[in-house]
Amino acid sequence: MVALTPEMVERAGVRTATVRRRPLLGTETYSATVEPTRTGAAVVASLVNGTVTRLLVDLGQSVRQGQALLEMVSPEAGQAKAEYRSALARLEQAKTRSNLAQTQVDLAGAAVQREKLLVAKGISALQSQQEAEARLAGIRADRATARSDVGVAQAAAAAAASRLRAFGLGAGQLRQIAQGEDLDPRLFVVSPIAGRVIALQAQLGQAVALTAPLMTVGDLDRVYVQLLVPQARLAELNPGDLVRFMSEVAPGRTFVGRVLRQAQSLDPTTRNAEVRVEIANPGSVLKPGTLVQATVRTRLAGDAIVLPATALQQVKGKDVVFVKIGPNTFRARPVAVGQKTAEAAQILRGVAAGESVVTNGSFSIKAELLKASLQEEE
């Protein structure tokens, strides 16, 4: 037992706390690498063979969806534009023939009606009516052929337009081609999403093959990391749980993410599972490939007696805490310690909930206890 004066208690900064039962929480750290989200990155590729003639953006530059990224010259593009223009011309010709056939059908139909009236009045012979009806049937057949030709021409024009749209041409450019104003072999490759240019492979003068990657555009406002978590810790990371991250690229800054999902299988060798976390990334500070360190709160013990690490002292090789038994009076109580972290420890035996234990200044009380023991030995 150690009795102190009020002045000694004040000088040592002694503080006490009531023992309570609560979970003992620890931390686990995992290293992982940043990667774009599934919808947050797009590889920009060429859909036609050609040569890069102008680069319109640079690495790290922000771009809008639909913004032109580079210019190419492609004989295929020039040919596709010419084919679209020709398809439109054929469509117009087919429509003209169809309209003419309809006019002829109308005239032939009127002739048939006129012959029927003349036959009814006995002015014309029935043979004349039959000849007019035969001409109408032939003209109707010609009209059906003309209408079929219109359908074929429309399909050809739509296919040619679809090919140009696949090259990145918009409605305005298609109108220019239709008017004969844009038939050169140039075309612009545009960005499919808004974001930043996070990879740039294209070079001025480069000969580009079909589907060759030219650059990557990424929306990095949110990014993914994959944590490799041992099966014993999987229960501590559930969808929606918060995870904190730090990285050397942003010293002193903490990024917060939420668990999206766990993998449905474990690696048979390591018994680890992938846990995907989505991180808010303001300012796009974390780039794909950046190494980050994740800190995860873990539950080391459930409902337990937990004391701050500062409450524990070693006396004669035993763990003890100082229990307050009266005003400025404390007793050293041996305890059995279970799980420990840098901040707290699980107490298995020695103190009970509701007791008052020294949490700050315990080292000074220990010094007074040892001093009293030495005096008794003398």
Side-chain angles (χ1 to χ4, degrees), residues 12 14 19 30 56 76 90 93 106 225 243 271 326 341-342 344 358 363 372:
V14 175
V19 176
Y30 302 95
L56 304 177
E76 289 183 36
R90 290 193 296 271
Q93 292 171 359
D106 294 340
V225 294
V243 182
R271 298 299 174 186
T341 70
V358 175
F363 183 78

Side-chain angles (χ1 to χ4, degrees), residues 2-12 14 327-330 368:
V2 180
L4 303 178
T5 64
E7 292 77 12
M8 294 172 67
V9 169
E10 182 67 25
R11 188 167 56 249
V14 175
N328 304 324
T329 306
F330 310 92
E368 291 297 325

Side-chain angles (χ1 to χ4, degrees), residues 97 106 130 191 245 280 329 331:
R97 289 194 297 270
D106 294 340
Q130 291 172 340
S191 177
F245 295 85
T329 306
R331 185 182 299 280

